[in-house]
Amino acid sequence: LKGSYVPVEAEDDYLSFIRRHGNVDVFCAFNLSPEPRQISMPEGAWQIDRAAPFTIEETETGLKLPGWQALFATTGS
């Protein structure tokens, strides 16, 4: 594997981490349950990958991942 792995949060039904390679970071979050979950992205200028085939809800209080969904976001060039 290329790059590094930085764990952010890990629970029975949720996992998030950052993969770093060169000057690009990818934040990955996975809701592993049927229930929606509020999530927080790490600090930084993250751009959500809207082309990924997942559903993400933006609320007044942040981001919500519906059940069994994921989020990918990048920062860097």
Side-chain angles (χ1 to χ4, degrees):
L1 294 174
K2 293 182 179 181
S4 63
Y5 167 84
V6 180
V8 175
E9 194 173 344
E11 298 177 10
D12 287 342
D13 59 1
Y14 179 73
L15 175 67
S16 63
F17 56 87
I18 298 170
R19 289 283 299 168
R20 291 192 167 123
H21 181 63
N23 61 348
V24 176
D25 293 347
V26 179
F27 174 68
C28 307
F30 301 90
N31 183 356
L32 306 172
S33 79
E35 300 301 319
R37 179 185 177 98
Q38 287 289 131
I39 66 165
S40 298
M41 296 206 323
E43 289 188 33
W46 295 98
Q47 297 294 318
I48 295 173
D49 181 356
R50 304 280 180 193
F54 302 109
T55 302
I56 303 152
E57 296 177 23
E58 295 186 50
T59 69
E60 292 179 8
T61 58
L63 297 171
K64 186 186 292 186
L65 274 181
W68 311 114
Q69 295 295 305
L71 173 138
F72 297 110
T74 59
T75 187
S77 55

